[in-house]
Amino acid sequence: MADNAEETDGSKCLLVKLNDTDAAKSLRDAAKLEGHPERIGMTVYVNGLKKANYGLPGIHEIDAFKVEE
């Protein structure tokens, strides 16, 4: 995820783990872009544990989220 839908610099992005909790799996379905191009640029709020992933900041153990299209 990034502040800008056009962002390509990984250092300006936040990695979000989408398979470690039920909330994360639900977010994966709600934010899936495949087959839903209208979702590009949507706003996503995520609550979880801030933790590095592949040397970059990320969110793990998501317990809540909100998607605004």
Side-chain angles (χ1 to χ4, degrees), residues 18-64:
L18 296 176
N19 64 357
D20 60 346
T21 65
D22 288 339
K25 292 172 188 174
S26 294
L27 172 57
R28 181 180 55 216
D29 292 337
K32 183 185 243 180
L33 296 178
E34 182 180 0
H36 300 280
E38 73 280 2
R39 293 180 178 171
I40 294 173
M42 69 184 157
T43 301
V44 179
Y45 301 93
V46 179
N47 187 62
L49 178 65
K50 183 179 175 187
K51 187 174 168 183
N53 194 15
Y54 301 108
L56 297 171
I59 301 292
H60 295 250
E61 299 177 32
I62 295 169
D63 57 22

